[in-house]
Amino acid sequence: AQSVTQLGSHVSVSEGALVLLRCNYSSSVPPYLFWYVQYPNQGLQLLLKYTTGATLVKGINGFEAEFKKSETSFHLTKPSAHMSDAAEYFCAVSRYNFNKFYFGSGTKLNVKP
Amino acid sequence: GAGVSQSPRYKVAKRGQDVALRCDPISGHVSLFWYQQALGQGPEFLTYFQNEAQLDKSGLPSDRFFAERPEGSVSTLKIQRTQQEDSAVYLCASSLAGTADSGNEQYFGPGTRLTVT
């Protein structure tokens, strides 16, 4: 069975500060892991994904995430927050030959000036 | 290029009415997915099509929910006799490949916000 836990439904950071959004997953087999961002009244946009290979994955807008199998985590980071990063972020898990995503409940990021 | 489009963007229905939600996937995408996103929650899987074949409908909450994709492109999600608990955003996504064997990205539409009064 697959499930995704995002710790912290709301995270607030100051502009220029480090962004850290947490995601832990459970999966019976090696997972595929995704981070999506959702702006108000818009669909989900892919930030980055991990399938195989290098465990540190770089995405768009300066975001990156590291797959840590031993910790079953895939936390999203960005060194310096920008006002335009304010949005809701969703972590999702899938796996080989499995045609659905399981999403976490989301984390709303607020960026203070 | 054009992304996934959904219509209508907003729908208000009285309890008991039937509704139909449309999804136009990206041209050439084999896979199509429907998700339900309740307020404050992440999307939850409803159903999946590979071309015109509905291969997984395990997430449909009741037999009032029905989805089709007759020609392997446009899809319609129909909800009969709507109930207040059906109020949610319904998201459609499409993917190029037929399986998730390489972790294929799903491209999402903007969603249809359904409010049942």
Side-chain angles (χ1 to χ4, degrees), chain A residues 16-65:
Chain A
L18 171 72
V19 176
L20 171 61
L21 304 182
R22 299 178 186 274
C23 173
N24 288 86
Y25 68 91
S26 65
S27 177
S28 55
V29 296
Y32 299 141
L33 295 158
F34 304 79
W35 274 100
Y36 280 85
V37 61
Q38 187 176 36
Y39 296 99
N41 299 316
Q42 295 187 27
L44 283 75
Q45 179 184 5
L46 182 70
L47 279 176
L48 48 80
K49 66 178 183 180
Y50 168 80
T51 54
T52 59
T55 57
L56 181 62
V57 179
K58 295 186 184 299
I60 62 171
N61 301 338
F63 284 94
E64 62 183 37

Side-chain angles (χ1 to χ4, degrees), chain A residues 32 34 36 38 41-46 49 51 88 90 94-106, chain B residues 9-10 33 35 37 40-43 45 48 56 58 91 98-106 108-110 113:
Chain A
Y32 299 141
F34 304 79
Y36 280 85
Q38 187 176 36
N41 299 316
Q42 295 187 27
L44 283 75
Q45 179 184 5
L46 182 70
K49 66 178 183 180
T51 54
E88 190 160 19
F90 292 93
S94 183
R95 61 176 172 84
Y96 176 82
N97 208 28
F98 194 65
N99 295 301
K100 64 182 75 169
F101 284 179
Y102 286 95
F103 284 89
S105 56
Chain B
R9 291 293 311 277
Y10 303 90
F33 307 81
Y35 292 85
Q37 186 176 17
Q41 299 296 316
F45 172 82
Y48 158 67
D56 188 341
S58 62
L91 295 169
T99 68
D101 56 354
S102 58
N104 285 291
E105 173 185 353
Q106 293 186 15
F108 283 81
R113 182 178 298 277

